């Protein structure tokens, strides 16, 4: 609308200027016809007064040196006025009016307004807007007034035509804008619709659905990539949760089956005290296995929930010595040699959690080493971290198992199987507790050369 109003205003101003220029031109041409001598020569302003004896000047305008009453227009002026009228009549839709010096109408075109009066004398040609039209008037040197005008109907018609053009242009621009806006909005909304539809399918249980990404450079493309990554991690989390639940149920089913079988056997018939003791012992071991598994699951659940427990300064080197002394009898029984190299290293942690990590790592090293193998334990501080290393010369772990070694319930086929009695949660618990303290746990292993676990925790300043 602002563009249309501005264009209308400037077009109206331009139209007025054109009308004024046309009227001034018509006025000039009529004035030329009126002031031309019968022989075709132009009368210079004032020349008719230069020669008082000039009969033509006296006939037309009278003598400037006498003060007689205003003379009537002579035949020469009437003839030139007729020529001017004929000329002006060809200039339709323009009109003209010629007044004599006394204000009487000398000539007018047929379409000139009848009620118009001679304007007051002006030395220069003037332009005016009468409301019903536009006029230009001026005076000859002797005093005749020439007025040329045009009705405003033609200007109004031109402005109406221009208005329709503006309306058509603005309408076309508006239509194109709406169409372009719809097209742009449709393209902008399409990814949002894809996101909504994909999220709905995922909410219905299809976790493998992903959003199509056409351009990752835009903000929406980056959001889509982030959502796809979130959906991927969500699907992996659900899959891990399902696998975890299945593995936990499987691990619990075995000791429960043993307990049920032994109790049913004991109740089915009379047995000796020795047989009953054996049954009770087997039931106790199965119950202990269940208890260890439940405690491990509870530890993982707390860590996953982000439970915050009180932390305090822990001397990693001193705590490692204590755990090493506890595991040493088992190592000697299995003919495994333990070595220690302890440099001061302190961290802010929960002591029982660090103890649990140390116990698992040391127990695994002793459990899976062969008689005659060596286990080397060391602690030191490096780049603001307290570091513990447990390296053994055992059978090692195949490279294909290393990426999954910290997964819950995962066991390497050869060296870590169910015959050892573990549930496959020890390393998963170690890694979870390390990350809960802002650290990390990594492993390196080569078959027949040994395995090294490295625990890194933020050092205490």
């Amino acid at each position: 609308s602002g563009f249309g109003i501005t264009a209308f205003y400037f077009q109206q101003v331009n139209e007025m200027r054109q009308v004024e220029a046309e009227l001034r031109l018509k006025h000039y041409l009529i004035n030329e016809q009126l002031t031309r001598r019968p022989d075709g020569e132009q009368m210079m302003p004032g020349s008719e007064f230069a020669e008082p004896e000039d009969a033509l000047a006296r006939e037309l305008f009278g003598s400037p040196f006498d003060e007689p009453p205003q003379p009537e227009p002579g035949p020469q002026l009437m003839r030139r006025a007729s020529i001017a009228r004929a000329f002006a009549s060809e200039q339709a839709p323009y009109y003209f009016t010629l007044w004599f010096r006394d204000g009487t109408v000398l000539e007018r075109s047929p379409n000139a307004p009848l009620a118009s009066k001679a304007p007051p004398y002006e030395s220069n040609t003037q332009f005016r807007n009468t409301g019903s039209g536009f006029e230009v008037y001026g005076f000859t040197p002797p005093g005749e007034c020439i007025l040329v005008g045009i009705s405003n109907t033609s200007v109004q018609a031109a402005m109406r035509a221009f208005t329709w053009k503006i309306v058509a242009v603005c309408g076309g621009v508006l239509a194109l804008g709406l169409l372009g806006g719809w097209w742009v909005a449709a393209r902008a909304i399409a990814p949002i619709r894809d996101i909504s539809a994909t999220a709905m399918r995922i909410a219905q249980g299809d976790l493998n659905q992903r959003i199509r990404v056409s351009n990752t450079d835009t903000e929406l493309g980056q959001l889509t990539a982030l959502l796809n990554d979130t959906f991927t991690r969500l699907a992996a989390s659900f899959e891990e949760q399902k696998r975890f639940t299945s593995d936990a149920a499987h691990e619990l089913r075995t000791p429960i089956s043993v307990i049920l079988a032994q109790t049913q056997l004991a109740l089915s018939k009379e047995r000796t005290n020795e047989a009953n003791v054996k049954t009770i012992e087997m039931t106790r071991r199965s119950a202990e296995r269940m208890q260890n598994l439940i405690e491990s699951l509870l530890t993982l659940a707390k860590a996953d929930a982000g439970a915050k427990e009180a932390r305090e300064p822990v001397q990693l080197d001193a705590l490692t010595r204590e755990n090493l002394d506890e595991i040493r009898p088992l190592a000697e029984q299995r003919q495994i040699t333990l070595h220690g190299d302890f440099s001061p290293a302190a961290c802010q942690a929960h002591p029982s959690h660090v103890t649990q990590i140390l116990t698992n790592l040391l127990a695994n090293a002793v459990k899976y080493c062969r008689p005659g193998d060596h286990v080397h334990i060391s602690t030191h501080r490096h780049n603001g971290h307290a570091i513990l290393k447990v390296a053994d010369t055992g059978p090692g772990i195949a490279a294909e198992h290393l990426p999954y070694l910290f997964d819950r319930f995962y066991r390497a086929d050869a060296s870590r199987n169910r015959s050892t009695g573990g549930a496959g949660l020890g390393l998963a618990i170690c890694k979870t507790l390390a990350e809960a303290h802002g650290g990390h746990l990594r492993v390196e292993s080569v078959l027949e050369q040994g395995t090294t676990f490295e625990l890194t925790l933020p050092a205490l300043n």
Side-chain angles (χ1 to χ4, degrees), residues 149 193 202 247 273 332:
R193 290 177 177 170
I202 290 175
D247 291 341
N273 289 335
E332 292 175 352

Side-chain angles (χ1 to χ4, degrees), residues 83-159:
I83 295 173
R85 180 182 61 181
F87 176 81
S89 298
E90 299 175 357
Q91 308 302 311
Y94 299 92
Y95 62 84
F96 90 101
T97 302
L98 173 62
W99 285 277
F100 194 56
R101 281 169 287 177
D102 62 357
T104 59
V105 176
L106 183 61
E107 284 292 344
R108 66 158 46 97
S109 59
N111 58 343
L114 299 177
S116 61
K117 296 181 180 181
Y121 178 81
E122 296 283 353
S123 59
N124 297 320
T125 304
Q126 301 295 317
F127 173 78
R128 68 182 183 182
N129 182 355
T130 63
S132 60
F134 306 96
E135 296 176 343
V136 169
Y137 63 90
F139 292 82
T140 62
E144 286 80 17
C145 178
I146 305 172
L147 181 144
V148 181
I150 186 172
S151 173
N152 62 1
T153 55
S154 60
V155 176
Q156 292 176 350
M159 292 308 299

Side-chain angles (χ1 to χ4, degrees), residues 240 243-245 247-248 251-252 289-301 356 360 364 368 405-411 421-433:
E240 182 180 354
R243 186 173 62 250
F244 176 77
T245 303
D247 291 341
E251 291 293 335
L252 288 170
R289 182 178 177 186
M290 288 177 57
Q291 183 182 19
N292 293 333
L293 177 59
I294 292 171
E295 289 178 353
S296 297
L297 294 175
L298 182 60
T299 300
L300 289 172
Q356 190 170 3
N360 273 294
N364 278 348
Y368 297 110
L405 201 60
F406 297 107
D407 290 353
R408 298 170 186 184
F409 296 107
Y410 183 81
R411 296 179 180 86
L425 291 176
L427 291 178
I429 291 175
C430 291
K431 183 174 185 295
T432 302
L433 293 178

Side-chain angles (χ1 to χ4, degrees), residues 58-81:
R58 287 196 301 272
E59 178 186 355
L60 293 177
F61 309 114
S63 174
F65 302 104
D66 300 329
E67 296 296 336
Q70 291 291 336
E72 295 295 327
Q76 295 296 334
L77 181 59
M78 295 295 291
R79 185 180 68 81
R80 285 195 294 275

Side-chain angles (χ1 to χ4, degrees), residues 10 54 56 143 150 169 180 190 210 232 293 376 390 394 410:
F10 283 108
D54 191 333
L56 180 59
I150 186 172
V169 171
R210 296 294 179 270
T232 300
L293 177 59
H376 184 267
V390 179
Y410 183 81

Side-chain angles (χ1 to χ4, degrees), residues 337-397:
T337 304
L338 299 180
H339 304 277
D341 181 12
F342 306 106
S343 297
C347 61
Q348 188 82 10
H350 192 278
S352 64
H353 289 171
V354 178
T355 299
Q356 190 170 3
I357 296 174
L358 291 172
T359 301
N360 273 294
L361 294 179
L362 293 174
N364 278 348
V366 172
K367 184 186 299 184
Y368 297 110
C369 279
R370 300 159 298 193
D373 285 338
H374 297 262
V375 177
H376 184 267
I377 305 99
S378 65
T379 61
H380 65 281
R381 178 183 174 126
H382 180 68
N383 290 337
H385 293 89
I387 300 174
L388 164 72
K389 283 188 178 182
V390 179
D392 64 61
T393 59
I397 304 170

Side-chain angles (χ1 to χ4, degrees), residues 289-353:
R289 182 178 177 186
M290 288 177 57
Q291 183 182 19
N292 293 333
L293 177 59
I294 292 171
E295 289 178 353
S296 297
L297 294 175
L298 182 60
T299 300
L300 289 172
K302 288 182 178 180
D304 290 340
K308 300 294 184 181
E309 300 189 39
R311 298 181 183 182
E312 59 186 70
V314 174
Q315 294 296 329
L316 188 59
D317 52 318
L319 192 61
T320 304
R321 283 194 186 96
E322 295 176 7
N323 282 270
L324 189 61
D325 291 338
E326 293 178 3
I327 200 90
R328 194 178 299 278
L330 178 62
E332 292 175 352
Q333 181 183 353
R334 295 178 58 86
Q335 301 179 13
I336 297 170
T337 304
L338 299 180
H339 304 277
D341 181 12
F342 306 106
S343 297
C347 61
Q348 188 82 10
H350 192 278
S352 64
H353 289 171

